[in-house]
Amino acid sequence: MTDGARVFYLTTPIYYVNDRPHLGHAYTTIVADAMARYRRLAGDDVWFLTGTDEHGDKIAQAAAAAGMTPQQLADRNSAAFRDAWRQLGIQYSDYIRTTEPRHTKVVQAILQTLWDKGELYLGKYGGPYCFGCERFYTEKEIVEGKCPDHQTPLAWIEEENYFFKMSKYQAWLIETIERQPDLIRPERYRNEILGFLRDPLQDLSISRPKSRLSWGIPLPFDDTYVTYVWFDALINYVSALGGPGDARFETYWPHVQHVTAKDIVKPHAIYWPSMLKAAGLPVYRHLNVHGYWTLGGRKISKSVGNLVEALALKDTYGNDAFRYFVLREMVFGLDADFSEEALVGRLNADLANDLGNLVSRATTLLSSLAPDEQPALASAAGPHQRVRAASGEARKIVDAAMSEFAFQRALGALWEFIGEVNRYIDTTQPWALAKDPTRKPEFHRVMVTLADSLRFLGIILTPFLPDAATKIRHAVGDVREPRLENAQMGRDDRLSRVERLSGLFPRVEAIKQSDSTDAATRTRGTPPTGHADPAALVTVSDFSRVELRVAEVLTAEAVPKSRKLLRLTVSLGSEQRTLVAGIAEHYAPAELVGKKVVVVANLVPAKLMGIESHGMVLAASTEGKLAVLTVDRDLPPGAKIT
Ligand code: MSP
């Protein structure tokens, strides 16, 4: 830690591993990364945490549906999130997974503390329960008294669970939120929570019986129960620092700020402060809440496929353009709409036109200066006041906006400045000045102003456009570690050799053009195959990792107590295997015997309803219909599909 540096600890939600990383997760993580980079630029001691939430019903069910164990699913998808952040250039300090022992240990220690302090008690919980889904439903989720998934009537089940005495913190919580007006921000979410707290607060069930759900952290004082997933998950913010008593915890915890979207304000604004208070730990400094991305104005459906595709556009248009678009387009706190057209619009207008042209025009002029003009430049009277003042104004707005997560305002101010410098070039006409020997001093002053403007931009743009900012700094010969204190014009009269930098953000002529042979535009259009999502294309070598074989079904039987699963024995020629396939709703066992189906032969084995499955039967499906894949000529079992 630098002497006298301010300390800053920032977290994202930990993402559920039943999903693939998509635009929504990426936005929160980009926001946090931009903020962490800004605070590092300011010289602060920054700790930036992200990670994955890996326990609970949702994960257990998704794993079963995928034919994997929960841990296998968690390992695979947690790695997918990590990989997405690597691709996006996210510079997190730590990545926590709730299945790690370092997390489990702290969760159990906190539970034990709460138990010892009498903050928890064993009580009864009753609610509508679906045996098919193995879970309780809330009144809101029920459709005409039935399970929305199985269309079967729900049973009223009463179950003993451990409860956290959350209700006793209601008055304290209201008082805390009222005393710190920016504890939950923007204000609309603070008001929402205060509104919610007008009704009596209930105690919180913090356990699930192991007999119903075993995928969780056992309660330290009763191992017939596991911890409710939210109670487990929220503690990640503490466990990642080693927990109370750890030096890292003591350094960073007093400065913690969380970022989440509006969907999870309640656990963060009600459960979490109450839990912290009960455990004797200080509450966070700020909960920063942003809105939801919609696609084409529609509410996001349950299927997140199109959000995944939206994130894939980072590969088409580049990380900086993607990052710029989401930071600029969403007013932090409100919902915003994402579309490829809008992204391309901003890319062309703000990045190619405004910034790209400025950099290209200025570096073209500066790089063509003769070496003997350098001394004259060094003695010029510093940058023109008009531009210098504009940079000072932009910097002030950026600092104020960043203190409240108003990224769009910070970027708006910087683009005001970029516009000002472009106008400055238009009005001073340096090309004309250069040709007139009597106006050389004026020309030199314009050059100094431009070099200094680019130096300013090369530093201040770092959190928002990390790659482009680095290129700008290098073009103007600024090889120093970027620091916010150097983002000021008129302070630095060092002049380095400038290199021409053009095409920083090439214009995108048209989206979705497929017949261009120009490589630069080709990557931006739909590839010639006509596939809608270039990032989803696989290479021959990707494909060859999957071993597909013809398998003959020898026996088939229903798996007891399961609606969906069949147990198959298949022959792969040289060997026989047991497979579990989720096709019982579409095939009677007898129909399958003798069929030659297609299976994935090199899948990691997985246990489903206690049966180990060694491979997967391929099937095509659409709207409730399903058909297994077969080969259309007779081939011996074991034949390889290439
Ligand atoms: N695991 C919990 C969080 C536990 S934190 C202690 C969870 N996970 S999640 O995978 O569902 O992530 C929710 C978060 O993802 C949102 O709060 C937000 O950060 C991000 N988003 C997911 N979809 C989103 C949009 N459509 N728009 C913006 N952000 C969204 O909840």
Side-chain angles (χ1 to χ4, degrees):
M1 162 171 172
T2 337
D3 268 351
R6 286 184 305 170
V7 181
F8 185 64
Y9 174 35
L10 191 64
T11 70
T12 71
I14 45 171
Y15 305 112
Y16 284 129
V17 286
N18 59 331
D19 248 359
R20 287 173 294 164
H22 62 55
L23 169 68
H25 311 122
Y27 175 72
T28 316
T29 313
I30 287 174
V31 157
D33 183 65
M35 183 55 79
R37 285 178 190 251
Y38 172 78
R39 300 294 294 253
R40 284 190 204 112
L41 195 66
D44 294 359
D45 177 10
V46 173
W47 196 256
F48 165 22
L49 176 72
T50 188
T52 42
D53 190 353
E54 308 188 356
H55 289 129
D57 267 323
K58 259 195 228 259
I59 313 301
Q61 280 170 17
M68 302 171 110
T69 65
Q71 190 65 59
Q72 283 169 340
L73 181 88
D75 289 348
R76 186 189 72 184
N77 289 356
S78 182
F81 276 97
R82 210 190 260 268
D83 195 48
W85 307 153
R86 184 188 54 74
Q87 288 178 34
L88 275 168
I90 303 296
Q91 296 181 335
Y92 52 78
S93 317
D94 191 7
Y95 190 93
I96 180 103
R97 299 183 53 188
T98 55
T99 52
E100 288 177 277
R102 61 169 174 156
H103 175 70
T104 311
K105 198 180 86 192
V106 175
V107 170
Q108 290 190 325
I110 289 181
L111 280 164
Q112 189 66 52
T113 306
L114 297 182
W115 178 247
D116 294 344
K117 286 171 105 176
E119 297 283 346
L120 309 176
Y121 64 92
L122 191 61
K124 257 215 168 69
Y125 177 80
Y129 189 83
C130 170
F131 283 98
C133 304
E134 297 180 12
R135 76 162 176 107
F136 286 99
Y137 272 90
T138 61
E139 291 302 335
K140 267 200 210 143
E141 291 173 309
I142 301 173
V143 181
E144 291 161 5
K146 292 181 178 161
C147 162
D149 220 16
H150 293 91
Q151 322 290 324
T152 48
L154 294 149
W156 183 267
I157 292 283
E158 295 211 336
E159 177 174 282
E160 278 205 314
N161 264 312
Y162 286 90
F163 285 80
F164 164 47
K165 296 180 182 166
M166 194 161 74
S167 56
K168 79 181 213 204
Y169 293 102
Q170 178 159 14
W172 165 83
L173 191 55
I174 294 173
E175 206 255 320
T176 303
I177 297 172
E178 279 178 345
R179 194 161 25 86
Q180 298 174 65
D182 60 359
L183 183 72
I184 303 165
R185 59 186 186 180
E187 206 183 355
R188 54 193 302 131
Y189 299 109
R190 170 182 190 259
N191 294 340
E192 190 182 300
I193 290 298
L194 284 173
F196 180 84
L197 286 170
R198 271 189 224 116
D199 292 329
L201 195 57
Q202 306 297 315
D203 287 347
L204 181 70
S205 159
I206 58 123
S207 67
R208 298 291 179 263
K210 248 194 198 164
S211 54
R212 186 156 73 67
L213 171 77
S214 61
W215 186 235
I217 299 178
L219 297 184
F221 44 84
D222 185 347
D223 71 0
T224 60
Y225 287 88
V226 295
T227 314
Y228 167 51
V229 66
W230 269 105
F231 205 90
D232 161 350
L234 287 160
I235 293 174
N236 91 87
Y237 302 134
V238 166
S239 68
L241 297 178
D246 192 288
R248 210 142 27 93
F249 179 84
E250 305 307 328
T251 304
Y252 292 107
W253 185 255
H255 308 275
V256 61
Q257 296 199 27
H258 303 303
V259 184
T260 75
K262 63 181 186 182
D263 55 338
I264 51 176
V265 177
K266 200 168 131 190
H268 281 85
I270 295 180
Y271 307 173
W272 187 222
S274 310
M275 285 164 66
L276 287 166
K277 174 76 176 160
L281 299 172
V283 173
Y284 48 77
R285 297 286 279 261
H286 300 289
L287 173 63
N288 304 286
V289 184
H290 65 75
Y292 244 49
W293 283 98
T294 57
L295 293 172
R298 289 185 311 271
K299 263 205 119 47
I300 309 284
S301 67
K302 264 197 184 162
S303 125
V304 296
N306 24 19
L307 284 173
V308 175
E309 281 166 27
L311 175 56
L313 290 177
K314 76 183 191 318
D315 301 325
T316 313
Y317 299 106
N319 274 347
D320 273 8
F322 186 83
R323 189 178 173 101
Y324 174 79
F325 174 74
V326 294
L327 290 175
R328 179 79 195 253
E329 193 74 6
M330 181 173 260
V331 176
F332 193 89
L334 302 180
D335 292 351
D337 194 51
F338 186 98
S339 73
E340 187 170 5
E341 288 71 20
L343 194 163
V344 169
R346 284 242 178 244
L347 170 53
N348 281 341
D350 301 4
L351 298 178
N353 256 10
D354 298 346
L355 177 62
N357 273 346
L358 169 62
V359 172
S360 167
R361 292 162 96 190
T363 57
T364 302
L365 283 161
L366 287 159
S367 62
S368 59
L369 285 172
D372 64 2
E373 286 181 286
Q374 295 289 337
L377 281 175
S379 64
H384 269 117
Q385 183 52 27
R386 154 184 169 194
V387 178
R388 187 177 167 173
S391 75
E393 186 54 25
R395 169 69 198 278
K396 248 200 316 212
I397 298 174
V398 169
D399 289 345
M402 291 302 277
S403 71
E404 48 191 66
F405 283 70
F407 300 89
Q408 75 296 336
R409 192 141 51 84
L411 287 170
L414 290 174
W415 259 255
E416 275 294 312
F417 172 71
I418 291 166
E420 179 63 29
V421 189
N422 270 323
R423 283 191 294 278
Y424 171 75
I425 300 181
D426 296 341
T427 53
T428 53
Q429 306 225 336
W431 291 272
L433 292 177
K435 286 190 197 129
D436 183 348
T438 64
R439 301 183 73 190
K440 274 277 157 157
E442 210 181 323
F443 172 66
H444 289 151
R445 193 149 187 217
V446 175
M447 290 302 99
V448 167
T449 307
L450 292 183
D452 212 9
S453 300
L454 292 191
R455 200 150 49 195
F456 170 73
L457 285 171
I459 299 170
I460 195 101
L461 288 175
T462 303
F464 314 105
L465 297 171
D467 296 340
T470 306
K471 286 187 191 156
I472 296 172
R473 286 199 311 278
H474 288 171
V476 295
D478 187 354
V479 291
R480 299 167 297 178
E481 182 69 19
R483 294 172 73 109
L484 196 59
E485 63 184 20
N486 293 329
Q488 268 186 59
M489 287 181 68
R491 286 180 92 212
D492 192 347
D493 56 7
R494 279 174 331 112
L495 279 158
S496 319
R497 182 111 199 102
V498 172
E499 274 172 31
R500 182 158 181 260
L501 176 57
S502 64
L504 188 60
F505 291 102
R507 269 188 81 79
V508 177
E509 292 313 332
I511 34 173
K512 305 239 158 89
Q513 59 184 42
S514 56
D515 52 0
S516 168
T517 46
D518 169 31
T521 33
R522 255 271 304 284
T523 58
R524 305 212 146 90
T526 306
T529 57
H531 196 289
D533 174 3
L537 294 175
V538 291
T539 62
V540 171
S541 98
D542 291 335
F543 180 71
S544 66
R545 294 191 52 215
V546 181
E547 189 189 326
L548 298 176
R549 288 188 186 271
V550 173
E552 182 173 357
V553 181
L554 304 175
T555 67
E557 61 192 88
V559 172
K561 289 205 220 130
S562 166
R563 259 182 339 117
K564 292 189 176 159
L565 300 181
L566 291 183
R567 175 204 186 113
L568 310 179
T569 334
V570 299
S571 160
L572 287 181
S574 56
E575 57 169 317
Q576 285 189 11
R577 295 219 189 154
T578 302
L579 257 67
V580 180
I583 53 176
E585 288 166 316
H586 304 275
Y587 285 91
E591 265 181 278
L592 290 163
V593 176
K595 258 199 196 338
K596 299 237 176 94
V597 297
V598 176
V599 300
V600 180
N602 62 339
L603 204 66
V604 179
K607 245 193 190 154
L608 289 166
M609 304 284 284
I611 307 165
E612 187 137 309
S613 178
H614 295 266
M616 182 167 86
V617 177
L618 293 187
S621 70
T622 174
E623 288 164 6
K625 286 201 203 140
L626 181 142
V628 296
L629 261 62
T630 56
V631 281
D632 95 331
R633 291 216 172 112
D634 198 27
L635 282 177
K640 209 166 169 202
I641 291 157
T642 51

